[in-house]
Amino acid sequence: MNAMDNGPNSPKLETGAHPFAGTPCDRLRAVRARIARAAAEAGRDAATVRLLAVSKTFAAAAVRAMAACGQHEFGENYLQEALEKQIALSDLPLQWHFIGPIQSNKTRAIAGNFSWVHGVDRLKIADRLSAQRPAGWPPLQVCIEVNVSGETSKGGMTVAELPALAEAVSKLPGLRLRGLMAIPAPATGMAAQRAAFRRVREAYDALIACGHALDTLSMGMSADLEAAVLEGATIVRIGTALFGER
Ligand SMILES: *Cc1c(COP(=O)(O)O)cnc(C)c1O
């Protein structure tokens, strides 16, 4: 039994990936229903949770099909692949988020082709994105990536390093700091998933308490979006549940 089978008054949301089936529009509806159910359990308005469809490794045609179902925000990890899809889909009113690791030789193309960047994890990258944002464009919307799992192999700032980076990023003219992004280590069970997301939210709340005007917590993927929404996610980044296994 998965969360979709629970009665409307089910006290607990189950966690874990859900069966992949149906048309693109069916899958989009199913993900939106998961978000709505988790938001309801959290006592939140579902409209406060944005769905970012993560289309990495899937062809432009798959993005086009999802766009025809009403999804307009897409996340991509690989620059070259993303640029090719953007060209193929330039007739559609899509908003593109870069969510992958950022190499410094890619910042100019990222600053010139995306609305959002989720994985800012060092000042050098932020400086370059700001300086290379084309003149006259609105600032690039950015999240700082925080690592709450202590995996040194993974990107992201430690919580201790965050205040200094947030302070510096918030002063860059080409960027607008919107909040934090996290990819916690995979955890089994709602309690463990929520504990990691809670650490992200606490770091976010601490930055707000320091005076940063933040509104974005980018956290939660196909396997753990419920836990993320319960801990305050405002953007969930969903690939597999929308497009299938990669
Ligand atoms: C691939 C990816 C996702 C989507 O993951 P799924 O488990 O397929 O939903 C979300 N965020 C980031 C940063 C990713 O790289």
Side-chain angles (χ1 to χ4, degrees), residues 129-230:
L129 290 171
S130 176
Q132 294 168 343
R133 183 67 168 171
W137 286 27
L140 189 59
Q141 311 296 300
V142 301
C143 293
I144 294 175
E145 184 176 355
V146 60
N147 179 341
V148 293
S149 305
E151 294 174 295
T152 48
S153 59
K154 291 281 172 61
M157 293 261 116
T158 66
V159 170
E161 295 168 314
L162 265 183
L165 183 64
E167 193 59 33
V169 170
S170 66
K171 297 201 168 87
L172 294 173
L175 306 185
R176 172 147 175 242
L177 178 60
R178 297 291 296 265
L180 298 181
M181 177 271 217
I183 316 172
T188 307
M190 180 64 83
Q193 292 175 358
R194 285 189 67 163
F197 291 131
R198 190 172 313 126
R199 288 197 290 278
V200 183
R201 179 169 44 87
E202 286 166 356
Y204 171 80
D205 288 341
L207 292 176
I208 291 172
C210 288
H212 291 286
L214 307 181
D215 62 6
T216 302
L217 261 180
S218 168
M219 59 188 194
M221 312 199 297
S222 294
D224 57 14
L225 78 83
E226 285 83 1
V229 169
L230 286 166

Side-chain angles (χ1 to χ4, degrees), residues 54 56 77 99 181 183 221-223 237-241 246:
V54 176
K56 64 173 176 230
N77 293 55
I99 64 171
M181 177 271 217
I183 316 172
M221 312 199 297
S222 294
R237 307 178 311 269
I238 307 300
T240 308
R246 290 181 293 272

Side-chain angles (χ1 to χ4, degrees), residues 114-129:
F114 290 82
S115 302
W116 281 72
V117 174
H118 290 231
V120 172
D121 65 355
R122 54 199 194 278
L123 185 57
K124 177 187 177 188
I125 293 296
D127 274 333
R128 291 175 65 95
L129 290 171

